[in-house]
Amino acid sequence: MTTDIVATEGSGATPPRGPIRRTLRRWPSWVGWAAAVWSLGYGLLGLLWTLGVPGFPFGAGDLPDARAESILGAATAEHTAPWIAGIGVICAALAVLLTLGRLRGWLRVATAGAGWVVAFGLAVLVPDQRLLTSIAYLPVGMVGIPFGFPPMTYGEFFAKVAPWTTVNLAVCAIGGVLFAAATVAFGRRTASACRRCGRRDGADTGWTSRASAARWGRWAAYTGAVVPLAYSVVRWAWAFNIPVGVSEEFLVDLHASGLIWGGVYLATFGALGGLLTLGLVQRWGVIWPRWVLGLAGKRVPPAFPIVFASVVAVSLASASAVVMRIIDWSNPDDWMSNPMTLWPLWSVALGAATLGYYFRTRPACGTCGRGRPQVTSAGPE
């Protein structure tokens, strides 16, 4: 049974402790500049690659077995790096406009649209499924290496799971997140909303209200919990030699190579991820349950599930973009037999559930005061 627990309403003015937390609270004031610095930095890398400096991470510079699924799989340093340098300068200018611009009308819409296009391209289209795979396998190495599984050092493990080409994809995704945040801050500033919480007078009664977010967030969370089960069931079926959507010869090769166990792990990881998605609408996603030693009964810091779920949602979205490109949608056998066909729906559902959790649990704003319960003659509403 779900429960609509929300943040305790006090004055909303409790100051964050520590310089790091205070800086993070002021993100709308600096995130646009961070996006500009990121753009200039990556543009500089494009210039260096143009001049022949090694390390170009796309196309011919990428891992051979990853080029077919990358949107930049045919890129070369000679032809693509100059574009990266030029686009980096343009994006830096856009970031400055998002930070300082006070636009109205169609100029405001066009600028915000450009910001979202850059954010989507960097966070979703440029990366691929390697980000999600690295996140999935990271716990295996962190926990298993001291016990001899996998039989390698931490340095060897990270070199295999996160080579430079994969780290570069993470760098691009970070740039996309910075542009998304800068666009949100731009939208708040130009819409006369609170720069800290985004609320406007009378706007907390629509789809962003706690009651509304609890309703649509619940549907999103349930969808995000059920969809990965389809992928997990298919992978588990393969482990038991049940040829769901594949030939028996494929299963023989999968078992002979040992790759079947990687699939079993990913299936289990996906199922657990679906279960954790329910925490975004359950009591144990707001209050630590009794079995969490040392934390039972205490409030879950909202940033913890929001950041974790957002990282997975963005990584899942980039993997979903690959799925959308490689599946032959004109062939029903191709998309009906692929266990990853529903991944785009999974990523959207997880993102929506995370957004619903944020709206449902955000406290009253200490800057504008919005979000406090309205007091009437009958008491708080």
Side-chain angles (χ1 to χ4, degrees):
M1 181 177 179
T2 59
T3 181
D4 296 334
I5 298 176
V6 298
T8 301
E9 296 297 338
S11 66
T14 302
R17 292 172 294 180
I20 295 179
R21 293 183 64 182
R22 287 196 296 269
T23 300
L24 292 177
R25 285 292 186 95
R26 294 196 297 265
W27 66 267
S29 65
W30 56 259
V31 71
W33 298 115
V37 170
W38 182 95
S39 299
L40 291 176
Y42 206 83
L44 177 60
L45 285 178
L47 177 60
L48 294 176
W49 293 327
T50 301
L51 297 176
V53 175
F56 184 71
F58 303 109
D62 204 347
L63 301 176
D65 59 352
R67 296 171 191 169
E69 297 176 349
S70 172
I71 195 172
L72 294 174
T76 62
E78 178 184 5
H79 296 98
T80 308
W83 282 95
I84 293 176
I87 293 174
V89 174
I90 295 173
C91 287
L94 173 62
V96 172
L97 183 61
L98 290 171
T99 304
L100 301 177
R102 298 184 178 276
L103 308 176
R104 294 291 184 269
W106 68 269
L107 286 175
R108 175 179 181 270
V109 175
T111 301
W116 285 118
V117 167
V118 173
F120 184 80
L122 288 172
V124 177
L125 295 183
V126 173
D128 53 46
Q129 76 285 348
R130 281 175 284 178
L131 284 184
L132 186 64
T133 302
S134 296
I135 292 174
Y137 280 118
L138 189 61
V140 175
M142 298 302 292
V143 176
I145 286 179
F147 301 96
F149 181 81
M152 59 180 67
T153 65
Y154 280 115
E156 293 170 338
F157 174 77
F158 283 109
K160 185 175 183 63
V161 174
W164 156 238
T165 51
T166 301
V167 171
N168 170 71
L169 299 181
V171 170
C172 291
I174 290 172
V177 171
L178 289 175
F179 267 95
T183 306
V184 170
F186 169 80
R188 291 178 179 181
R189 189 181 70 254
T190 55
S192 299
C194 176
R195 297 190 184 187
R196 177 175 171 182
C197 72
R199 293 181 177 99
R200 292 181 294 169
D201 289 334
D204 203 29
T205 58
W207 68 278
T208 63
S209 67
R210 293 190 181 97
S212 180
R215 288 192 296 271
W216 56 260
R218 186 179 301 119
W219 283 105
Y222 288 156
T223 302
V226 171
V227 169
L229 292 180
Y231 170 79
S232 300
V233 167
V234 172
R235 288 288 193 172
W236 283 326
W238 292 354
F240 288 99
N241 284 308
I242 302 175
V244 178
V246 296
S247 65
E248 293 186 1
E249 291 78 9
F250 175 82
L251 283 186
V252 171
D253 292 340
L254 203 59
H255 279 268
S257 64
L259 293 176
I260 187 65
W261 302 113
V264 169
Y265 170 75
L266 292 177
T268 305
F269 185 86
L272 290 176
L275 177 63
L276 290 176
T277 302
L278 294 177
L280 298 174
V281 292
Q282 296 286 342
R283 176 184 173 83
W284 52 269
V286 180
I287 304 296
W288 291 110
R290 288 177 294 179
W291 49 267
V292 180
L293 300 179
L295 295 173
K298 296 181 180 180
R299 179 170 173 78
V300 176
F304 176 68
I306 289 174
V307 171
F308 180 78
S310 297
V311 169
V312 175
V314 171
S315 302
L316 186 59
S318 63
S320 299
V322 176
V323 173
M324 295 291 289
R325 293 199 304 269
I326 65 175
I327 288 182
D328 182 3
W329 295 99
S330 64
N331 182 2
D333 290 337
D334 192 27
W335 55 265
M336 290 184 68
S337 63
N338 195 320
M340 297 181 292
T341 298
L342 295 178
W343 277 22
L345 176 60
W346 183 10
S347 64
V348 172
L350 179 57
T354 306
L355 187 62
Y357 179 90
Y358 163 71
F359 285 135
R360 187 169 61 90
T361 60
R362 63 177 174 172
C365 181
T367 300
C368 68
R370 298 184 181 98
R372 296 192 182 99
Q374 299 296 316
V375 179
T376 65
S377 59
E381 294 182 355

